[in-house]
Amino acid sequence: MKDDLLRAIEDKAAKVVVLGLGYVGLPVACLFAEAGFPVVGIRRSQDKVDMINQGVCPIEGKEPGLAELVARVVSEGRFRATIEYEACREAHVVLIAVETPVNPVTKKPDYEALRGALTDLGRNLSRGTMVVIESTIAPGTMERVVKPILEETSGLRVSEDFYLVNCPERVMPGKLLANIRECHRVVGGMSPEATGLAVKLYQYVVQADLDPVDCLTAELVKTMENAYRDVQIAFANEMALLCEDLGADVWQVRELVNKSPYRNMHLPGAGVGGHCIPKDPWLLIANAGDGFEPRVIPTARAVNDGMPLHMIDLTVKALCEAGIEISDARVAVLGYAYLENSDDTRNSPSKVLVARLRELGAEVVVHDPYVPGYQGDLQEAVQGRDAVVLMVAHDDYRALDLSELRAQVGHSVLIDGRHIFSAERAQAAGWDYRGVGRG
Ligand code: SAJ
């Protein structure tokens, strides 16, 4: 079994099927097709499948090279999409790249999409196939969820009849293709044979390290690397709140702290959004038993989730000092994406801020040069406003003429959630400037 698969991989004859053609699955499918493998992508929505089969990339936003690559591999007949799982029957390799969100209330993994993909695959799984989970999953999921579903629905035994591997993706919006090619990856097989076969396969698209490990280690690496970042950001945010309380400037303190060797204090800000940092810490601790009490991870999440609400506090306080009740205020929010110079709004802190401002009765206008629906004229957006709240460090906002902007607004409250304006310059331009981390 192993020799057949190894030969198929080495000859690039291995039929590769990718389940889930989103921002993870589509790029990796195209890269394997570009490498010379015959690739079939499976996605549940027929309209997206039709788009792809016409050589059109359904992913929004700036993804250098992706649209061209989709068009090329489709036109060369190396890649096609379908909604039919039967394509898995002839597959040598099946990559699974479906979403794995966490329940917003329980913070437990929501594996509905993963279970669905595994069940449909299991019914079409042939002996000798290698199954690779690229989705981010809680440590222990391969053993407790993936393996049982595949064995039960296929009647096959893992490591005897088919190979099973966890090879977590490290994609980033805006760098989907580059990250797949250039980021190191862990390759965690259910057996050393599986790990070896997966390393052999991924060498055709990954130009960085492919580190062979076991499944649990692979699951831990991916979720821990993002939890690490979340905790680092939470520390910076807590220091911002401390400096505000003590009347100091966290930005000056941070710069000097980072002059100390081996320090890398992250950036405080208006909140932590995106498709992975807010989610992966919860996946990391999801399967921990009673013997483990998570404290740092939940606390860091609470600190970061609290930052949009802190922006509300800064805004309400400043307006109150100007004699304006929040329920009567007219507020302009600059930035709706979760990240600078991006159109991605997943888990954006701005969503929390805007909803809360409206709950408090404020009349809110949102502007964002990247997000469809919010791209109007900035000067108009701030016209007559009592407060301007900066949530995202888009380059467009960094370049703003604060004097010109001041002339547009009614009252002069400016809340800087990303430290992109100089307090001195803002005050010189007539703004009542308040910034995260500036007491
Ligand atoms: N943020 C801060 N302070 C910081 C850094 C980020 O408040 O110092 C905020 C951002 O504004 C954003 C959120 O956190 O709202 C996430 O920002 P991010 O830079 O982590 O960007 P992401 O979410 O795209 O994270 C991805 C992750 N990559 C993968 O999952 C493969 C993350 O692991 C990377 O570290 C990150 O990109 C990166 O380094 O750019």
Side-chain angles (χ1 to χ4, degrees):
M1 182 169 85
K2 178 189 172 189
D3 293 344
D4 293 347
L5 181 51
L6 185 58
R7 193 174 313 110
I9 291 171
E10 287 171 341
D11 296 348
K12 297 189 194 177
K15 294 184 178 67
V16 176
V17 171
V18 179
L19 305 187
L21 294 178
Y23 61 87
V24 176
L26 182 64
V28 75
C30 293
L31 286 174
F32 274 110
E34 183 187 49
F37 291 88
V39 181
V40 175
I42 297 179
R43 179 158 185 167
R44 295 209 183 279
S45 55
Q46 186 64 55
D47 62 325
K48 290 287 194 300
V49 162
D50 295 343
M51 264 179 87
I52 290 167
N53 287 334
Q54 287 152 20
V56 176
C57 176
I59 291 177
E60 301 288 326
K62 295 176 192 163
E63 290 299 344
L66 184 57
E68 299 81 351
L69 182 58
V70 173
R72 181 155 35 93
V73 292
V74 168
S75 65
E76 290 168 355
R78 296 173 182 276
F79 173 52
R80 69 178 180 85
T82 177
I83 60 170
E84 304 294 338
Y85 268 76
E86 280 68 24
C88 298
R89 292 178 187 280
E90 291 76 44
H92 292 85
V93 175
V94 179
L95 309 184
I96 299 184
V98 297
E99 63 162 7
T100 51
V102 294
N103 179 294
V105 176
T106 65
K107 305 302 182 186
K108 288 297 184 186
D110 171 0
Y111 285 152
E112 184 185 352
L114 180 63
R115 291 176 184 279
L118 289 167
T119 302
D120 290 341
L121 168 58
R123 293 180 184 135
N124 296 279
L125 187 61
S126 301
R127 194 172 181 287
T129 303
M130 175 162 69
V131 178
V132 182
I133 309 296
E134 288 214 354
S135 303
T136 302
I137 51 180
T141 301
M142 291 294 284
E143 196 60 47
R144 305 182 192 193
V145 176
V146 177
K147 174 186 164 193
I149 292 178
L150 286 178
E151 288 190 329
E152 284 154 27
T153 52
S154 69
L156 301 175
R157 306 287 301 158
V158 73
S159 303
E160 293 170 33
D161 302 320
F162 68 96
Y163 298 103
L164 186 55
V165 182
N166 177 223
C167 183
E169 47 79 15
R170 279 180 165 156
V171 300
M172 241 195 86
K175 304 178 190 171
L176 294 181
L177 289 179
N179 272 28
I180 294 172
R181 290 185 180 119
E182 297 158 17
C183 284
H184 304 313
R185 289 178 79 156
V186 288
V187 182
M190 275 280 180
S191 66
E193 265 190 344
T195 304
L197 286 162
V199 167
K200 178 64 75 177
L201 175 75
Y202 276 88
Q203 279 170 342
Y204 289 101
V205 299
V206 176
Q207 295 141 21
D209 294 350
L210 289 166
D211 296 307
V213 294
D214 61 45
C215 275
L216 181 60
T217 302
E219 292 166 318
L220 279 162
V221 166
K222 169 64 186 184
T223 49
M224 196 177 291
E225 70 191 29
N226 282 342
Y228 170 83
R229 185 165 176 84
D230 196 50
V231 169
Q232 294 287 336
I233 297 168
F235 177 79
N237 282 330
E238 181 149 291
M239 292 306 99
L241 299 177
L242 174 64
C243 286
E244 284 181 29
D245 182 76
L246 295 175
D249 177 347
V250 76
W251 303 95
Q252 180 187 22
V253 173
R254 170 183 176 273
E255 194 176 327
L256 295 169
V257 163
N258 285 346
K259 288 183 75 171
S260 175
Y262 318 117
R263 299 308 187 272
N264 175 28
M265 187 169 154
H266 283 36
L267 298 168
V272 173
H275 58 293
C276 45
I277 305 297
K279 159 177 81 89
D280 293 357
W282 295 118
L283 290 178
L284 172 63
I285 61 175
N287 289 332
D290 297 340
F292 168 79
E293 185 202 350
R295 287 172 292 178
V296 173
I297 299 292
T299 303
R301 287 277 69 241
V303 169
N304 289 337
D305 281 349
M307 293 314 284
L309 303 178
H310 180 62
M311 290 293 289
I312 298 274
D313 294 345
L314 291 173
T315 305
V316 169
K317 184 171 183 289
L319 284 168
C320 186
E321 288 170 12
I324 301 170
E325 287 300 315
I326 188 67
S327 53
D328 303 327
R330 294 156 48 83
V331 180
V333 174
L334 305 191
Y336 203 62
Y338 85 86
L339 196 64
E340 58 271 13
N341 307 324
S342 165
D343 67 348
D344 195 332
T345 62
R346 279 173 291 188
N347 298 312
S348 170
S350 298
K351 291 181 179 175
V352 173
L353 175 106
V354 169
R356 183 68 185 133
L357 280 173
R358 287 176 173 153
E359 276 172 16
L360 294 171
E363 196 265 302
V364 181
V365 164
V366 178
H367 178 274
D368 190 305
Y370 289 88
V371 179
Y374 300 104
Q375 294 164 304
D377 179 83
L378 176 58
Q379 304 300 330
E380 279 177 29
V382 302
Q383 186 74 42
R385 296 283 130 181
D386 302 311
V388 174
V389 181
L390 186 283
M391 291 293 288
V392 184
H394 289 318
D395 290 346
D396 305 55
Y397 296 145
R398 290 181 184 280
L400 280 175
D401 176 332
L402 291 178
S403 300
E404 185 183 308
L405 203 68
R406 175 69 186 85
Q408 302 295 334
V409 296
H411 288 82
S412 61
V413 169
L414 175 59
I415 311 293
D416 184 354
R418 298 292 179 185
H419 188 60
I420 67 169
F421 300 124
S422 140
E424 293 67 28
R425 276 184 37 230
Q427 285 151 1
W431 288 98
D432 173 2
Y433 176 92
R434 319 284 171 105
V436 166
R438 298 182 61 100

